[in-house]
Amino acid sequence: MAEGSDRANGGLVKMDSTESRWVFQEEDDSEDGGVRNSYESEEEDNGEQRLIRTGPRIDSFDVEALEVPGVQRHDYEDFNLGGSLILVLQTLGVVFGDVGTSPLYTFDIMFNKYPISEKEDVLGALSLVLYTLIMIPLVKYTLIVLWGNDDGEGGTFALYSLICRNAKASLLPNQLPSDARISSFRLKVPSAELERSLKLKEHLETSAILKKLLLILVLFGTAMVIAGGVVTPAMSVMSAVNGLKVGIASVEQGEVVMITVAFLIVLFSVQKFGTSKMGLAVGPALFLWFCCLGGIGVFNLIKYGMTAFRAFNPFYIYHYFKKNPFQAWNALGGCLLSATGSEAMFADLCYFSVRSVQLTFIFLVLPCLLLGYLGQAAFLMENPTQNEQIFFSSMPSGVFWPVLFVAMIAALIASRAMTTATFSCIKKATALGCFPRLKIIHTSRKFMGHIYIPVVNWFLLVFCLGFVATFGSINEIGNAYGIAEVGVMMVTTVLVTIIMLLIWQVNIFLVLFYFIFYVGLELLFFSSVLGGVSDGSWVLLLFAAVLFMIMSIWNYGSKMKYETEVKRKLSMDLMLKLGCNLGTIRAPGMGLVYNELVKGIPAIFGHFLTTLPAIHSMIIFVSIKYVPVPVVPQNERFLFRRVCPKSYHMFRCIARYGYKDVRKEHHQIFEQLLIESLEKFIRREAQERSLESDEDGDSDSEEETSFSSVLVAPNGSIYSLGVPLLSDYECLEKQSSEASSSFSQAIDDAVTDPGKSLESELSFIHKAKESGVVYLLGHGDIRARKDSWFFKKLIINYFYAFLRKNCRRGIATLSIPHTHLMQVGMTYMV
């Protein structure tokens, strides 16, 4: 990319950029009836769209956003060989614990209800397990789904974020065209499949029903992920502790339950130490577990024969279903458990790179799993009556206790797989407005994706203990486990299909084959596990339904609140009538007005004007906005625009964060970053005005409205903004206070000399900062109107109000000091 730009003799030397991309050209509509104010124009997307090729575009909302860095690199990309080995151990400890411990219980559950009558039953069941491992964890997740990551982020909400980034499918109407110009958006260029992709994009953006169905699907998948975080520890730990009944004949099931409860309490208590520390600590233990699993499998194959390898012939699946159709169909629920943990590979991707997960699974995890299942099948064919605790019964007696100890450690590790996935999923859901705000602790200073959520951690512990105490058997818990797993798998299949059509633009026949094959396969598994709902699995479905309702109510209430604030925002005509004093006294200082609106002046600001005896000489409307990308680079964080004429000294600032970004800045650091970005915006604005005045110096029009035509980026490229520049307006009212007048006089009088105007405005900012920064926080609540439907009143006035009252307040989330805080409450009737 070309770098730098030169100005000589008032001219501009063009530096071409080699970077280009495809964008939609749109006709913007003004916020106020189509007449565009020169000090602020809101961006809408109501016009016709056509695809054009263009150079790198700058954000018309903020000149500061020109400094676009290169493609964001993954946290682990620069690791050397030693770092890669450490990463493999961490990957084992965090991602593969769940799928790695599935041999502890898969065959137990498959042969729980129906005894083994002949060797072909074992070969048929083994063939089901082998091809389930190949088709779901290997082909679907490792080779396909992992590539659907959102810049290194995985999970249901990462897929949803990726779809929302490429099509405006979010129900929350706070999207701006400027969001698409963040460098990490990286939208795909057209291909031969572009027309179909654009049609799907148009349907998603224009159909409210499709948007709601997509959100319902995502919330259902998220509820199943959280439900999996409850049942996974119960299943993994209890299956390992069951091995004590093989080693000590006197151990009863009640004692197994008590030991399981003790292990679970210890497990969730150490969760706060973080993924990096825990992953590195338990990685070697899980590596030893996989070695034991593969070694015992080889031992059994040598001891009992290689007949089990015949199960790679899929004919045995056909023979199994033909001979015992109902038994085979019922065994599918247990067979599915061999693929548990597949979703964790994708959901926990935020902690590691795609390559490390793929290589570790293909060259270590999968071979050990296959050997383990082959060895157990070889044992069962010679000992068909020993169909309980098959793994522990098949191992050599001399290594029983060491392997039992390793199995318990591995089970504890496996329990963390879906727990960490749950933390990651909830953080993404919170950032995208689908989950109440909770306290999130970042456990790593180096990697921002490593998090711990205390409330969720103890919440999972309580319900996990409830599952263990209620069911007390891996057979009943296993069926519930299968429901949670296959539910998430189906949601992932549908979302990846949309991504194939919308973003990857894969051939339509390949997409149809993928969708039909995997949806059909997973529906077959789902029908099997649903057959055991009456055994107690309905408890898990009820739990997932409650989670789904919580997320739906929070999203609905947040959407209603935002839409109401948009409707109630103050008109620009009112602000102009009030004049630059805003109908009150402008006292020295800087006021940061926090609100969720990204366009327009919030109605809560009117309450500040009527409640406070004076308002600050400089006002900045700050909106903390999460965009559907993992990370927003720091120099693209703030977007600025003037609000009202220049003499009002009012700006809008949108602080954009990705759902992976960490908001841990001290308030003074945040203020400093914000003011530096504001100064940069004003300087570049003045630079553009200077360029324009050089080109249009002969113009005699008194009522000229300036439009920005060119701008020089740091890379030397020349851009056309196509939006009005900031013009000077005379104050509509005379100053009503000498203090206010003397404080702002330097800016109001310096309009003839651009250099003097720039320095005066920068000086004004510094004086306002030195006079003190105050945070003006408006609490907007909503209540249903009296004539609303009963269910709307119930949801808004009780359920949503309860969630808002008990979730983490905005003050804590924004890290606002109480000594610099002023709050005003406002209730909207919806």
Side-chain angles (χ1 to χ4, degrees), residues 174-205:
N174 67 343
Q175 302 92 353
L176 288 172
S178 55
D179 295 338
R181 294 157 206 161
I182 299 175
S183 58
S184 52
F185 259 65
R186 289 192 280 174
L187 300 180
K188 192 174 181 69
V189 298
S191 68
E193 307 291 335
L194 176 65
E195 184 176 355
R196 187 191 68 227
S197 175
L198 292 179
K199 288 182 179 179
L200 177 60
K201 178 178 184 293
E202 181 181 1
H203 286 314
L204 281 174
E205 292 181 344

Side-chain angles (χ1 to χ4, degrees), residues 19-291:
E19 180 185 354
S20 61
R21 61 175 178 168
W22 293 83
V23 298
F24 289 100
Q25 187 181 55
E26 307 164 51
E27 293 182 4
D28 295 337
D29 293 331
S30 168
E31 174 190 13
D32 298 315
V35 180
R36 216 183 266 279
N37 293 321
S38 61
Y39 41 81
E40 179 172 25
S41 66
E42 307 294 356
E43 298 178 77
E44 303 286 350
D45 298 316
N46 302 326
E48 264 184 56
Q49 299 181 339
R50 63 188 183 91
L51 203 63
I52 61 172
R53 192 174 181 87
T54 179
R57 293 191 58 186
I58 87 155
D59 191 350
S60 62
F61 202 104
D62 183 16
V63 188
E64 173 266 342
L66 275 169
E67 297 179 359
V68 177
V71 173
Q72 300 300 304
R73 306 183 65 179
H74 199 278
D75 294 334
Y76 299 96
E77 187 173 332
D78 293 332
F79 276 12
N80 53 23
L81 179 60
S84 299
L85 293 175
I86 292 175
L87 183 58
V88 168
L89 292 177
Q90 288 183 329
T91 307
L92 280 174
V94 175
V95 177
F96 296 112
D98 193 4
V99 70
T101 55
S102 60
L104 289 174
Y105 46 76
T106 297
F107 278 141
D108 291 22
I109 295 177
M110 290 185 73
F111 297 115
N112 172 51
K113 294 184 178 179
Y114 300 95
I116 300 172
S117 58
E118 57 184 24
K119 292 184 178 181
E120 280 70 18
D121 291 346
V122 178
L123 287 174
L126 175 61
S127 188
L128 278 174
V129 170
L130 295 180
Y131 281 98
T132 298
L133 282 173
I134 291 171
M135 299 311 302
I136 294 181
L138 177 61
V139 177
K140 178 185 174 181
Y141 280 91
T142 304
L143 301 182
I144 299 177
V145 174
L146 285 184
W147 293 113
N149 68 87
D150 185 12
D151 196 20
E153 294 290 309
T156 305
F157 262 96
L159 294 174
Y160 181 60
S161 170
L162 197 58
I163 294 171
C164 290
R165 186 156 78 242
N166 288 269
K168 296 178 181 177
S170 174
L171 290 175
L172 195 62
N174 67 343
Q175 302 92 353
L176 288 172
S178 55
D179 295 338
R181 294 157 206 161
I182 299 175
S183 58
S184 52
F185 259 65
R186 289 192 280 174
L187 300 180
K188 192 174 181 69
V189 298
S191 68
E193 307 291 335
L194 176 65
E195 184 176 355
R196 187 191 68 227
S197 175
L198 292 179
K199 288 182 179 179
L200 177 60
K201 178 178 184 293
E202 181 181 1
H203 286 314
L204 281 174
E205 292 181 344
T206 57
S207 173
I209 295 178
L210 286 180
K211 290 181 180 181
K212 292 178 181 177
L213 288 177
L214 181 62
L215 180 64
I216 290 172
L217 185 71
V218 171
L219 296 184
F220 170 76
T222 305
M224 285 299 181
V225 169
I226 300 174
V230 170
V231 73
T232 298
M235 185 69 183
S236 299
V237 176
M238 182 174 286
S239 61
V241 176
N242 270 336
L244 290 174
K245 295 196 293 185
V246 176
I248 305 174
S250 60
V251 173
E252 300 293 337
Q253 187 62 30
E255 295 169 333
V256 170
V257 171
M258 296 302 296
I259 296 173
T260 301
V261 168
F263 274 135
L264 290 174
I265 293 174
V266 173
L267 169 70
F268 283 96
S269 298
V270 301
Q271 190 77 38
K272 61 183 179 182
F273 293 109
T275 302
S276 290
K277 300 183 183 72
M278 293 298 298
L280 187 58
V282 302
L286 204 61
F287 176 77
L288 182 60
W289 162 251
F290 279 110
C291 292

Side-chain angles (χ1 to χ4, degrees), residues 286-304:
L286 204 61
F287 176 77
L288 182 60
W289 162 251
F290 279 110
C291 292
C292 292
L293 187 62
I296 293 172
V298 171
F299 169 81
N300 286 325
L301 288 170
I302 294 174
K303 181 177 179 180
Y304 299 107

Side-chain angles (χ1 to χ4, degrees), residues 344-546:
M345 283 196 298
F346 185 50
D348 287 331
L349 189 62
C350 60
Y351 299 98
F352 308 102
S353 65
V354 174
R355 184 175 302 173
S356 67
V357 174
Q358 289 177 325
L359 294 179
T360 305
F361 181 78
I362 293 173
F363 293 105
L364 176 61
V365 176
L366 182 61
C368 291
L369 287 173
L370 294 178
L371 288 173
Y373 283 116
L374 288 167
Q376 289 186 42
F379 169 80
L380 278 175
M381 283 189 287
E382 299 298 327
N383 303 275
T385 58
Q386 299 186 31
N387 59 349
E388 292 184 0
Q389 286 84 48
I390 298 170
F391 173 78
F392 295 105
S393 299
S394 66
M395 71 174 62
S397 58
V399 297
F400 176 83
W401 290 108
V403 174
L404 176 62
F405 176 76
V406 174
M408 289 184 177
I409 298 298
L412 292 174
I413 297 168
S415 303
R416 302 186 64 258
M418 288 305 294
T419 305
T420 54
T422 301
F423 292 159
S424 175
C425 190
I426 287 178
K427 183 178 187 300
K428 295 168 189 172
T430 302
L432 296 177
C434 296
F435 204 90
R437 294 184 299 268
L438 300 172
K439 181 180 181 180
I440 298 176
I441 298 174
H442 295 266
T443 59
S444 174
R445 293 184 179 180
K446 186 175 183 181
F447 304 119
M448 62 183 116
H450 296 189
I451 60 173
Y452 166 69
I453 307 178
V455 173
V456 175
N457 184 67
W458 303 120
F459 174 84
L460 294 178
L461 172 61
V462 170
F463 280 89
C464 184
L465 296 180
F467 264 82
V468 171
T470 302
F471 297 111
S473 169
I474 63 170
N475 296 320
E476 295 181 358
I477 296 177
N479 195 72
Y481 195 11
I483 290 177
E485 287 292 325
V486 75
V488 181
M489 288 178 183
M490 288 192 295
V491 171
T492 300
T493 299
V494 175
L495 294 179
V496 170
T497 301
I498 296 175
I499 288 175
M500 285 180 173
L501 293 170
L502 179 66
I503 304 170
W504 294 350
Q505 299 166 14
V506 180
N507 184 279
I508 187 65
F509 295 105
L510 294 177
V511 176
L512 287 176
F513 175 79
Y514 168 84
F515 179 77
I516 293 173
F517 178 80
Y518 279 106
V519 167
L521 180 64
E522 287 156 2
L523 283 176
L524 185 62
F525 281 122
F526 194 58
S527 66
S528 177
V529 294
L530 279 182
V533 168
S534 59
D535 295 336
S537 301
W538 61 270
V539 176
L540 185 75
L541 291 175
L542 180 62
F543 175 77
V546 172

Side-chain angles (χ1 to χ4, degrees), residues 679 682-683 747 757-766:
E679 291 176 352
I682 292 174
R683 289 182 185 278
I747 297 299
S757 175
L758 172 63
E759 296 304 322
S760 299
E761 188 161 17
L762 294 178
S763 175
F764 183 90
I765 293 174
H766 288 296

